[in-house]
Amino acid sequence: MTSVPLKIVEDDGDAVVEHDHRPLIPEGEYRAVYLRHEVVVLRRFGNAPKVFIWLRIVDPGEAFGMELYRAYRVAKALGKRRFTIHRDCELLLMLARVLEIKQRPDRISLSALKNMVLLIRVGTVTKAANGEARPDWLRYSTVRDILSRETGAP
């Protein structure tokens, strides 16, 4: 696990670097639990609505307790926790796989992920939004996919 905190060495009034802690852990598969989700409209990306699913790694080792997210595109934001999705979106496909949904649902709740241990795949963000390579100290980990349910009932 590598985390380099950004520090202001000299405050000369030109720029201050905003920093939010984004952990960097080795890529691979981990077990994790659902913490929460939030719906955000990203002005930076043309007001695109996304749902961020936050997970905590529960595998023993250096990554234990790390909180990572997986962002999914959604059709429309209906508040901070509610949203609409299209029938072929990645989020619905993941939920159908993990929750073993057999029939088309009219409504679905992410709270169904609570009390489950999930198998996730973690990757590293190596490029900025404009496609430019990030220096090592600006790289961070995100959840690339929620693969399956390890324990817990849907």
Side-chain angles (χ1 to χ4, degrees), residues 20-78:
D20 55 343
H21 178 68
R22 295 183 180 182
L24 178 61
I25 62 174
E27 292 184 340
E29 293 182 358
Y30 296 88
R31 281 158 195 78
V33 293
Y34 168 88
L35 293 176
R36 66 188 178 281
H37 72 276
E38 55 197 11
V39 179
V40 178
V41 176
L42 300 172
R43 291 181 301 192
R44 179 177 179 184
F45 297 106
N47 291 328
K50 293 195 177 213
V51 61
F52 286 77
I53 297 178
W54 287 89
L55 303 154
R56 177 180 293 127
I57 294 177
V58 295
D59 278 338
E62 64 178 308
F64 179 80
M66 291 288 175
E67 294 182 8
L68 302 174
Y69 67 86
R70 169 67 160 100
Y72 290 94
R73 290 185 195 125
V74 295
K76 187 176 182 182
L78 301 175

Short mmCIF file of all heavy atoms in Angstrom, two decimals, residues 20-78:
data_model
loop_
_atom_site.label_atom_id
_atom_site.label_comp_id
_atom_site.label_asym_id
_atom_site.label_seq_id
_atom_site.Cartn_x
_atom_site.Cartn_y
_atom_site.Cartn_z
N ASP A 20 -7.64 14.90 -1.35
CA ASP A 20 -8.51 13.95 -0.66
C ASP A 20 -7.77 12.63 -0.69
O ASP A 20 -7.09 12.31 -1.66
CB ASP A 20 -9.89 13.86 -1.30
CG ASP A 20 -9.83 13.52 -2.78
OD1 ASP A 20 -8.76 13.66 -3.39
OD2 ASP A 20 -10.86 13.12 -3.33
N HIS A 21 -7.85 11.89 0.39
CA HIS A 21 -7.09 10.66 0.50
C HIS A 21 -7.63 9.61 -0.46
O HIS A 21 -8.79 9.22 -0.38
CB HIS A 21 -7.13 10.14 1.93
CG HIS A 21 -6.40 8.85 2.10
ND1 HIS A 21 -5.04 8.77 1.99
CD2 HIS A 21 -6.83 7.60 2.32
CE1 HIS A 21 -4.66 7.52 2.16
NE2 HIS A 21 -5.74 6.78 2.37
N ARG A 22 -6.80 9.17 -1.38
CA ARG A 22 -7.15 8.11 -2.32
C ARG A 22 -6.10 7.02 -2.19
O ARG A 22 -4.97 7.19 -2.65
CB ARG A 22 -7.21 8.64 -3.75
CG ARG A 22 -8.31 9.64 -3.96
CD ARG A 22 -8.36 10.07 -5.40
NE ARG A 22 -9.42 11.03 -5.61
CZ ARG A 22 -9.71 11.53 -6.78
NH1 ARG A 22 -9.04 11.18 -7.84
NH2 ARG A 22 -10.69 12.40 -6.90
N PRO A 23 -6.45 5.92 -1.58
CA PRO A 23 -5.46 4.88 -1.33
C PRO A 23 -4.99 4.20 -2.62
O PRO A 23 -5.72 4.14 -3.61
CB PRO A 23 -6.18 3.89 -0.43
CG PRO A 23 -7.62 4.14 -0.64
CD PRO A 23 -7.76 5.58 -1.05
N LEU A 24 -3.76 3.70 -2.57
CA LEU A 24 -3.19 2.92 -3.66
C LEU A 24 -2.77 1.58 -3.08
O LEU A 24 -1.92 1.52 -2.19
CB LEU A 24 -1.98 3.64 -4.27
CG LEU A 24 -1.25 2.91 -5.40
CD1 LEU A 24 -2.19 2.68 -6.57
CD2 LEU A 24 -0.04 3.71 -5.84
N ILE A 25 -3.41 0.52 -3.58
CA ILE A 25 -3.11 -0.84 -3.12
C ILE A 25 -2.79 -1.69 -4.35
O ILE A 25 -3.12 -1.30 -5.48
CB ILE A 25 -4.28 -1.45 -2.31
CG1 ILE A 25 -5.55 -1.57 -3.16
CG2 ILE A 25 -4.54 -0.63 -1.05
CD1 ILE A 25 -6.69 -2.30 -2.47
N PRO A 26 -2.18 -2.84 -4.18
CA PRO A 26 -1.89 -3.69 -5.33
C PRO A 26 -3.17 -4.11 -6.07
O PRO A 26 -4.20 -4.37 -5.46
CB PRO A 26 -1.19 -4.90 -4.72
CG PRO A 26 -0.63 -4.40 -3.43
CD PRO A 26 -1.60 -3.38 -2.94
N GLU A 27 -3.09 -4.15 -7.39
CA GLU A 27 -4.22 -4.61 -8.19
C GLU A 27 -4.49 -6.07 -7.91
O GLU A 27 -3.59 -6.82 -7.57
CB GLU A 27 -3.93 -4.42 -9.68
CG GLU A 27 -3.86 -2.96 -10.09
CD GLU A 27 -3.67 -2.79 -11.59
OE1 GLU A 27 -3.23 -3.73 -12.27
OE2 GLU A 27 -3.99 -1.69 -12.07
N GLY A 28 -5.75 -6.47 -8.04
CA GLY A 28 -6.09 -7.87 -7.82
C GLY A 28 -7.51 -8.01 -7.29
O GLY A 28 -8.29 -7.06 -7.29
N GLU A 29 -7.82 -9.22 -6.83
CA GLU A 29 -9.15 -9.50 -6.29
C GLU A 29 -9.10 -9.49 -4.77
O GLU A 29 -8.15 -9.98 -4.17
CB GLU A 29 -9.64 -10.86 -6.80
CG GLU A 29 -9.90 -10.84 -8.30
CD GLU A 29 -10.43 -12.15 -8.84
OE1 GLU A 29 -10.58 -13.13 -8.07
OE2 GLU A 29 -10.70 -12.19 -10.05
N TYR A 30 -10.13 -8.90 -4.19
CA TYR A 30 -10.25 -8.77 -2.74
C TYR A 30 -11.68 -9.06 -2.33
O TYR A 30 -12.60 -8.94 -3.12
CB TYR A 30 -9.91 -7.34 -2.29
CG TYR A 30 -8.49 -6.90 -2.53
CD1 TYR A 30 -8.12 -6.32 -3.75
CD2 TYR A 30 -7.53 -7.03 -1.55
CE1 TYR A 30 -6.82 -5.90 -3.97
CE2 TYR A 30 -6.22 -6.61 -1.76
CZ TYR A 30 -5.89 -6.05 -2.97
OH TYR A 30 -4.59 -5.64 -3.18
N ARG A 31 -11.87 -9.37 -1.06
CA ARG A 31 -13.20 -9.49 -0.49
C ARG A 31 -13.52 -8.16 0.20
O ARG A 31 -12.66 -7.58 0.85
CB ARG A 31 -13.26 -10.65 0.50
CG ARG A 31 -13.40 -11.97 -0.23
CD ARG A 31 -12.96 -13.17 0.57
NE ARG A 31 -12.78 -14.33 -0.29
CZ ARG A 31 -11.72 -14.54 -1.07
NH1 ARG A 31 -10.74 -13.68 -1.11
NH2 ARG A 31 -11.64 -15.61 -1.83
N ALA A 32 -14.77 -7.73 0.04
CA ALA A 32 -15.16 -6.43 0.57
C ALA A 32 -16.64 -6.46 0.97
O ALA A 32 -17.38 -7.35 0.58
CB ALA A 32 -14.93 -5.35 -0.48
N VAL A 33 -17.02 -5.46 1.76
CA VAL A 33 -18.42 -5.30 2.16
C VAL A 33 -18.92 -3.93 1.71
O VAL A 33 -18.16 -2.97 1.63
CB VAL A 33 -18.60 -5.46 3.70
CG1 VAL A 33 -18.31 -6.88 4.12
CG2 VAL A 33 -17.75 -4.48 4.46
N TYR A 34 -20.21 -3.89 1.40
CA TYR A 34 -20.87 -2.66 0.99
C TYR A 34 -20.96 -1.71 2.19
O TYR A 34 -21.34 -2.12 3.29
CB TYR A 34 -22.28 -3.00 0.48
CG TYR A 34 -23.20 -1.83 0.27
CD1 TYR A 34 -23.23 -1.15 -0.93
CD2 TYR A 34 -24.06 -1.42 1.29
CE1 TYR A 34 -24.09 -0.09 -1.13
CE2 TYR A 34 -24.92 -0.36 1.10
CZ TYR A 34 -24.93 0.31 -0.11
OH TYR A 34 -25.79 1.36 -0.30
N LEU A 35 -20.62 -0.44 1.96
CA LEU A 35 -20.75 0.57 3.00
C LEU A 35 -21.93 1.50 2.75
O LEU A 35 -22.76 1.72 3.61
CB LEU A 35 -19.48 1.42 3.08
CG LEU A 35 -18.21 0.73 3.54
CD1 LEU A 35 -17.04 1.69 3.45
CD2 LEU A 35 -18.40 0.24 4.97
N ARG A 36 -21.96 2.06 1.54
CA ARG A 36 -22.99 3.05 1.22
C ARG A 36 -22.92 3.33 -0.28
O ARG A 36 -22.00 2.89 -0.97
CB ARG A 36 -22.76 4.36 1.99
CG ARG A 36 -21.48 5.08 1.58
CD ARG A 36 -21.16 6.27 2.47
NE ARG A 36 -19.91 6.90 2.08
CZ ARG A 36 -18.70 6.45 2.38
NH1 ARG A 36 -18.56 5.34 3.07
NH2 ARG A 36 -17.61 7.09 2.00
N HIS A 37 -23.89 4.09 -0.74
CA HIS A 37 -23.83 4.59 -2.11
C HIS A 37 -24.31 6.04 -2.11
O HIS A 37 -25.03 6.47 -1.20
CB HIS A 37 -24.65 3.73 -3.08
CG HIS A 37 -26.12 3.88 -2.91
ND1 HIS A 37 -26.83 3.17 -1.97
CD2 HIS A 37 -27.02 4.65 -3.56
CE1 HIS A 37 -28.10 3.50 -2.05
NE2 HIS A 37 -28.25 4.40 -3.00
N GLU A 38 -23.88 6.77 -3.11
CA GLU A 38 -24.31 8.15 -3.25
C GLU A 38 -24.41 8.49 -4.73
O GLU A 38 -23.65 7.97 -5.55
CB GLU A 38 -23.35 9.11 -2.54
CG GLU A 38 -21.91 8.97 -2.98
CD GLU A 38 -20.92 9.62 -2.00
OE1 GLU A 38 -21.31 9.99 -0.89
OE2 GLU A 38 -19.76 9.75 -2.39
N VAL A 39 -25.38 9.32 -5.05
CA VAL A 39 -25.60 9.74 -6.43
C VAL A 39 -25.02 11.14 -6.58
O VAL A 39 -25.28 12.02 -5.76
CB VAL A 39 -27.10 9.73 -6.79
CG1 VAL A 39 -27.32 10.19 -8.22
CG2 VAL A 39 -27.68 8.35 -6.56
N VAL A 40 -24.22 11.31 -7.63
CA VAL A 40 -23.55 12.59 -7.86
C VAL A 40 -23.73 12.98 -9.32
O VAL A 40 -23.62 12.13 -10.21
CB VAL A 40 -22.04 12.46 -7.54
CG1 VAL A 40 -21.31 13.76 -7.81
CG2 VAL A 40 -21.83 12.01 -6.10
N VAL A 41 -23.99 14.25 -9.56
CA VAL A 41 -24.02 14.78 -10.92
C VAL A 41 -22.68 15.48 -11.13
O VAL A 41 -22.36 16.44 -10.43
CB VAL A 41 -25.20 15.74 -11.13
CG1 VAL A 41 -25.15 16.36 -12.53
CG2 VAL A 41 -26.52 15.02 -10.92
N LEU A 42 -21.90 14.97 -12.07
CA LEU A 42 -20.55 15.48 -12.28
C LEU A 42 -20.54 16.58 -13.34
O LEU A 42 -20.62 16.31 -14.53
CB LEU A 42 -19.63 14.32 -12.70
CG LEU A 42 -19.51 13.19 -11.69
CD1 LEU A 42 -18.75 12.02 -12.27
CD2 LEU A 42 -18.84 13.69 -10.42
N ARG A 43 -20.45 17.81 -12.88
CA ARG A 43 -20.41 18.95 -13.80
C ARG A 43 -19.20 18.87 -14.71
O ARG A 43 -19.27 19.24 -15.87
CB ARG A 43 -20.39 20.26 -13.02
CG ARG A 43 -21.69 20.54 -12.31
CD ARG A 43 -21.63 21.82 -11.58
NE ARG A 43 -20.52 21.75 -10.62
CZ ARG A 43 -20.30 22.60 -9.66
NH1 ARG A 43 -21.08 23.63 -9.51
NH2 ARG A 43 -19.30 22.45 -8.83
N ARG A 44 -18.11 18.35 -14.19
CA ARG A 44 -16.87 18.26 -14.95
C ARG A 44 -17.03 17.37 -16.19
O ARG A 44 -16.31 17.52 -17.16
CB ARG A 44 -15.79 17.69 -14.03
CG ARG A 44 -14.47 17.50 -14.66
CD ARG A 44 -13.49 17.00 -13.63
NE ARG A 44 -12.20 16.77 -14.23
CZ ARG A 44 -11.19 16.27 -13.61
NH1 ARG A 44 -11.30 15.93 -12.34
NH2 ARG A 44 -10.04 16.09 -14.21
N PHE A 45 -17.96 16.43 -16.14
CA PHE A 45 -18.19 15.51 -17.25
C PHE A 45 -19.56 15.73 -17.88
O PHE A 45 -20.30 14.79 -18.14
CB PHE A 45 -18.03 14.06 -16.77
CG PHE A 45 -16.65 13.75 -16.27
CD1 PHE A 45 -16.39 13.62 -14.91
CD2 PHE A 45 -15.60 13.61 -17.15
CE1 PHE A 45 -15.12 13.35 -14.46
CE2 PHE A 45 -14.31 13.34 -16.71
CZ PHE A 45 -14.07 13.22 -15.36
N GLY A 46 -19.90 16.98 -18.11
CA GLY A 46 -21.14 17.30 -18.81
C GLY A 46 -22.40 16.99 -18.05
O GLY A 46 -23.40 16.57 -18.62
N ASN A 47 -22.37 17.18 -16.73
CA ASN A 47 -23.52 16.90 -15.86
C ASN A 47 -23.96 15.44 -15.91
O ASN A 47 -25.15 15.13 -15.83
CB ASN A 47 -24.70 17.83 -16.18
CG ASN A 47 -24.41 19.26 -15.78
OD1 ASN A 47 -23.71 19.52 -14.80
ND2 ASN A 47 -24.93 20.20 -16.53
N ALA A 48 -23.00 14.55 -16.05
CA ALA A 48 -23.29 13.12 -16.10
C ALA A 48 -23.63 12.62 -14.70
O ALA A 48 -22.84 12.77 -13.77
CB ALA A 48 -22.09 12.36 -16.64
N PRO A 49 -24.80 11.99 -14.53
CA PRO A 49 -25.13 11.42 -13.22
C PRO A 49 -24.44 10.07 -13.03
O PRO A 49 -24.39 9.26 -13.96
CB PRO A 49 -26.65 11.26 -13.27
CG PRO A 49 -26.96 11.12 -14.73
CD PRO A 49 -25.90 11.88 -15.48
N LYS A 50 -23.89 9.86 -11.85
CA LYS A 50 -23.24 8.59 -11.52
C LYS A 50 -23.62 8.18 -10.11
O LYS A 50 -23.90 9.03 -9.27
CB LYS A 50 -21.72 8.71 -11.62
CG LYS A 50 -21.24 8.92 -13.04
CD LYS A 50 -19.77 8.68 -13.16
CE LYS A 50 -19.38 8.83 -14.62
NZ LYS A 50 -18.32 7.97 -15.01
N VAL A 51 -23.59 6.88 -9.87
CA VAL A 51 -23.76 6.38 -8.52
C VAL A 51 -22.41 5.80 -8.10
O VAL A 51 -21.78 5.06 -8.86
CB VAL A 51 -24.90 5.34 -8.40
CG1 VAL A 51 -24.66 4.13 -9.24
CG2 VAL A 51 -25.14 4.97 -6.96
N PHE A 52 -21.96 6.21 -6.93
CA PHE A 52 -20.70 5.73 -6.37
C PHE A 52 -21.05 4.71 -5.29
O PHE A 52 -21.72 5.04 -4.31
CB PHE A 52 -19.89 6.88 -5.76
CG PHE A 52 -19.26 7.77 -6.80
CD1 PHE A 52 -20.01 8.70 -7.48
CD2 PHE A 52 -17.91 7.64 -7.09
CE1 PHE A 52 -19.44 9.52 -8.44
CE2 PHE A 52 -17.32 8.46 -8.05
CZ PHE A 52 -18.08 9.40 -8.73
N ILE A 53 -20.58 3.48 -5.46
CA ILE A 53 -20.77 2.43 -4.46
C ILE A 53 -19.46 2.30 -3.69
O ILE A 53 -18.41 2.02 -4.28
CB ILE A 53 -21.15 1.09 -5.12
CG1 ILE A 53 -22.50 1.23 -5.83
CG2 ILE A 53 -21.20 -0.03 -4.07
CD1 ILE A 53 -22.95 -0.02 -6.55
N TRP A 54 -19.52 2.55 -2.39
CA TRP A 54 -18.34 2.49 -1.53
C TRP A 54 -18.26 1.13 -0.84
O TRP A 54 -19.26 0.64 -0.29
CB TRP A 54 -18.41 3.61 -0.48
CG TRP A 54 -18.14 4.95 -1.11
CD1 TRP A 54 -19.05 5.79 -1.66
CD2 TRP A 54 -16.86 5.56 -1.26
NE1 TRP A 54 -18.40 6.90 -2.15
CE2 TRP A 54 -17.07 6.79 -1.91
CE3 TRP A 54 -15.57 5.19 -0.89
CZ2 TRP A 54 -16.03 7.66 -2.21
CZ3 TRP A 54 -14.53 6.05 -1.20
CH2 TRP A 54 -14.76 7.27 -1.85
N LEU A 55 -17.09 0.54 -0.87
CA LEU A 55 -16.84 -0.79 -0.30
C LEU A 55 -15.62 -0.74 0.62
O LEU A 55 -14.69 0.05 0.37
CB LEU A 55 -16.59 -1.79 -1.43
CG LEU A 55 -17.73 -1.89 -2.46
CD1 LEU A 55 -17.20 -2.35 -3.79
CD2 LEU A 55 -18.80 -2.82 -1.97
N ARG A 56 -15.62 -1.59 1.64
CA ARG A 56 -14.48 -1.70 2.56
C ARG A 56 -13.88 -3.09 2.40
O ARG A 56 -14.58 -4.10 2.48
CB ARG A 56 -14.88 -1.50 4.01
CG ARG A 56 -13.69 -1.68 4.97
CD ARG A 56 -14.04 -1.48 6.42
NE ARG A 56 -14.40 -0.10 6.66
CZ ARG A 56 -15.52 0.31 7.24
NH1 ARG A 56 -16.41 -0.57 7.66
NH2 ARG A 56 -15.76 1.58 7.42
N ILE A 57 -12.57 -3.14 2.18
CA ILE A 57 -11.87 -4.42 2.03
C ILE A 57 -11.79 -5.11 3.38
O ILE A 57 -11.42 -4.49 4.39
CB ILE A 57 -10.48 -4.20 1.41
CG1 ILE A 57 -10.66 -3.68 -0.02
CG2 ILE A 57 -9.65 -5.48 1.43
CD1 ILE A 57 -9.40 -3.35 -0.75
N VAL A 58 -12.12 -6.43 3.39
CA VAL A 58 -12.11 -7.19 4.64
C VAL A 58 -11.08 -8.32 4.61
O VAL A 58 -10.96 -9.04 5.61
CB VAL A 58 -13.52 -7.76 4.96
CG1 VAL A 58 -14.50 -6.62 5.24
CG2 VAL A 58 -14.03 -8.66 3.86
N ASP A 59 -10.34 -8.47 3.52
CA ASP A 59 -9.26 -9.46 3.49
C ASP A 59 -8.16 -9.03 4.45
O ASP A 59 -7.83 -7.84 4.53
CB ASP A 59 -8.66 -9.57 2.08
CG ASP A 59 -9.45 -10.47 1.17
OD1 ASP A 59 -10.20 -11.32 1.68
OD2 ASP A 59 -9.33 -10.32 -0.06
N PRO A 60 -7.57 -9.99 5.19
CA PRO A 60 -6.44 -9.63 6.04
C PRO A 60 -5.27 -9.16 5.18
O PRO A 60 -5.12 -9.58 4.04
CB PRO A 60 -6.09 -10.93 6.76
CG PRO A 60 -7.03 -11.97 6.30
CD PRO A 60 -7.91 -11.40 5.26
N GLY A 61 -4.46 -8.30 5.74
CA GLY A 61 -3.28 -7.82 5.02
C GLY A 61 -3.23 -6.31 4.99
O GLY A 61 -4.01 -5.63 5.67
N GLU A 62 -2.34 -5.79 4.18
CA GLU A 62 -2.10 -4.35 4.16
C GLU A 62 -3.29 -3.54 3.64
O GLU A 62 -3.42 -2.36 3.96
CB GLU A 62 -0.86 -4.02 3.33
CG GLU A 62 -0.97 -4.38 1.87
CD GLU A 62 0.27 -4.00 1.07
OE1 GLU A 62 0.68 -2.84 1.16
OE2 GLU A 62 0.79 -4.87 0.38
N ALA A 63 -4.17 -4.15 2.86
CA ALA A 63 -5.32 -3.44 2.32
C ALA A 63 -6.54 -3.49 3.25
O ALA A 63 -7.54 -2.83 2.98
CB ALA A 63 -5.69 -4.00 0.96
N PHE A 64 -6.47 -4.26 4.34
CA PHE A 64 -7.60 -4.41 5.25
C PHE A 64 -8.12 -3.05 5.70
O PHE A 64 -7.36 -2.18 6.12
CB PHE A 64 -7.20 -5.24 6.47
CG PHE A 64 -8.33 -5.41 7.45
CD1 PHE A 64 -9.32 -6.35 7.25
CD2 PHE A 64 -8.42 -4.59 8.58
CE1 PHE A 64 -10.36 -6.50 8.14
CE2 PHE A 64 -9.46 -4.73 9.48
CZ PHE A 64 -10.43 -5.69 9.25
N GLY A 65 -9.43 -2.86 5.58
CA GLY A 65 -10.06 -1.63 6.05
C GLY A 65 -10.07 -0.50 5.04
O GLY A 65 -10.72 0.52 5.27
N MET A 66 -9.37 -0.65 3.93
CA MET A 66 -9.35 0.41 2.92
C MET A 66 -10.74 0.56 2.31
O MET A 66 -11.43 -0.42 2.07
CB MET A 66 -8.36 0.09 1.79
CG MET A 66 -6.94 0.15 2.21
SD MET A 66 -6.49 1.87 2.45
CE MET A 66 -4.84 1.64 3.07
N GLU A 67 -11.13 1.80 2.07
CA GLU A 67 -12.42 2.08 1.45
C GLU A 67 -12.19 2.56 0.02
O GLU A 67 -11.45 3.51 -0.21
CB GLU A 67 -13.18 3.13 2.24
CG GLU A 67 -13.58 2.64 3.62
CD GLU A 67 -14.38 3.66 4.42
OE1 GLU A 67 -14.77 4.71 3.84
OE2 GLU A 67 -14.61 3.40 5.60
N LEU A 68 -12.80 1.84 -0.92
CA LEU A 68 -12.68 2.16 -2.34
C LEU A 68 -14.08 2.27 -2.93
O LEU A 68 -15.05 1.79 -2.35
CB LEU A 68 -11.91 1.06 -3.08
CG LEU A 68 -10.50 0.76 -2.59
CD1 LEU A 68 -9.94 -0.44 -3.33
CD2 LEU A 68 -9.59 1.96 -2.75
N TYR A 69 -14.16 2.87 -4.11
CA TYR A 69 -15.47 3.02 -4.74
C TYR A 69 -15.47 2.46 -6.15
O TYR A 69 -14.43 2.29 -6.78
CB TYR A 69 -15.90 4.49 -4.77
CG TYR A 69 -15.05 5.36 -5.67
CD1 TYR A 69 -15.33 5.46 -7.03
CD2 TYR A 69 -13.98 6.07 -5.16
CE1 TYR A 69 -14.55 6.25 -7.85
CE2 TYR A 69 -13.20 6.85 -5.97
CZ TYR A 69 -13.48 6.94 -7.31
OH TYR A 69 -12.70 7.72 -8.14
N ARG A 70 -16.68 2.20 -6.62
CA ARG A 70 -16.92 1.87 -8.03
C ARG A 70 -17.98 2.84 -8.50
O ARG A 70 -19.05 2.96 -7.88
CB ARG A 70 -17.40 0.42 -8.17
CG ARG A 70 -17.94 0.04 -9.55
CD ARG A 70 -16.87 0.06 -10.62
NE ARG A 70 -17.23 -0.72 -11.78
CZ ARG A 70 -17.72 -0.21 -12.91
NH1 ARG A 70 -17.93 1.08 -13.02
NH2 ARG A 70 -18.00 -1.01 -13.93
N ALA A 71 -17.70 3.58 -9.56
CA ALA A 71 -18.66 4.54 -10.11
C ALA A 71 -19.37 3.91 -11.30
O ALA A 71 -18.73 3.29 -12.16
CB ALA A 71 -17.93 5.81 -10.55
N TYR A 72 -20.68 4.05 -11.32
CA TYR A 72 -21.50 3.53 -12.42
C TYR A 72 -22.28 4.69 -13.04
O TYR A 72 -22.81 5.53 -12.31
CB TYR A 72 -22.51 2.51 -11.92
CG TYR A 72 -21.92 1.20 -11.49
CD1 TYR A 72 -21.59 0.98 -10.15
CD2 TYR A 72 -21.70 0.17 -12.40
CE1 TYR A 72 -21.06 -0.24 -9.75
CE2 TYR A 72 -21.17 -1.05 -12.01
CZ TYR A 72 -20.85 -1.24 -10.68
OH TYR A 72 -20.32 -2.44 -10.28
N ARG A 73 -22.39 4.69 -14.35
CA ARG A 73 -23.25 5.66 -15.02
C ARG A 73 -24.70 5.28 -14.75
O ARG A 73 -25.05 4.11 -14.74
CB ARG A 73 -23.02 5.62 -16.53
CG ARG A 73 -21.71 6.16 -16.95
CD ARG A 73 -21.62 6.19 -18.48
NE ARG A 73 -20.25 6.37 -18.85
CZ ARG A 73 -19.58 5.57 -19.66
NH1 ARG A 73 -20.18 4.54 -20.22
NH2 ARG A 73 -18.31 5.79 -19.93
N VAL A 74 -25.52 6.30 -14.54
CA VAL A 74 -26.96 6.07 -14.38
C VAL A 74 -27.69 7.03 -15.32
O VAL A 74 -27.12 8.00 -15.81
CB VAL A 74 -27.42 6.26 -12.92
CG1 VAL A 74 -26.80 5.19 -12.02
CG2 VAL A 74 -27.10 7.64 -12.39
N ALA A 75 -28.96 6.74 -15.57
CA ALA A 75 -29.73 7.56 -16.50
C ALA A 75 -30.07 8.93 -15.93
O ALA A 75 -29.94 9.95 -16.59
CB ALA A 75 -31.00 6.82 -16.91
N LYS A 76 -30.49 8.92 -14.66
CA LYS A 76 -30.97 10.16 -14.07
C LYS A 76 -30.80 10.13 -12.56
O LYS A 76 -31.05 9.11 -11.93
CB LYS A 76 -32.45 10.34 -14.42
CG LYS A 76 -33.06 11.65 -14.04
CD LYS A 76 -34.50 11.70 -14.53
CE LYS A 76 -35.13 13.03 -14.20
NZ LYS A 76 -36.54 13.07 -14.65
N ALA A 77 -30.38 11.24 -12.00
CA ALA A 77 -30.28 11.39 -10.55
C ALA A 77 -31.63 11.87 -10.02
O ALA A 77 -32.23 12.79 -10.56
CB ALA A 77 -29.20 12.39 -10.18
N LEU A 78 -32.11 11.21 -8.95
CA LEU A 78 -33.38 11.59 -8.32
C LEU A 78 -33.17 12.03 -6.88
O LEU A 78 -34.04 11.88 -6.05
CB LEU A 78 -34.36 10.40 -8.36
CG LEU A 78 -34.70 9.85 -9.74
CD1 LEU A 78 -35.57 8.61 -9.61
CD2 LEU A 78 -35.39 10.91 -10.58
#
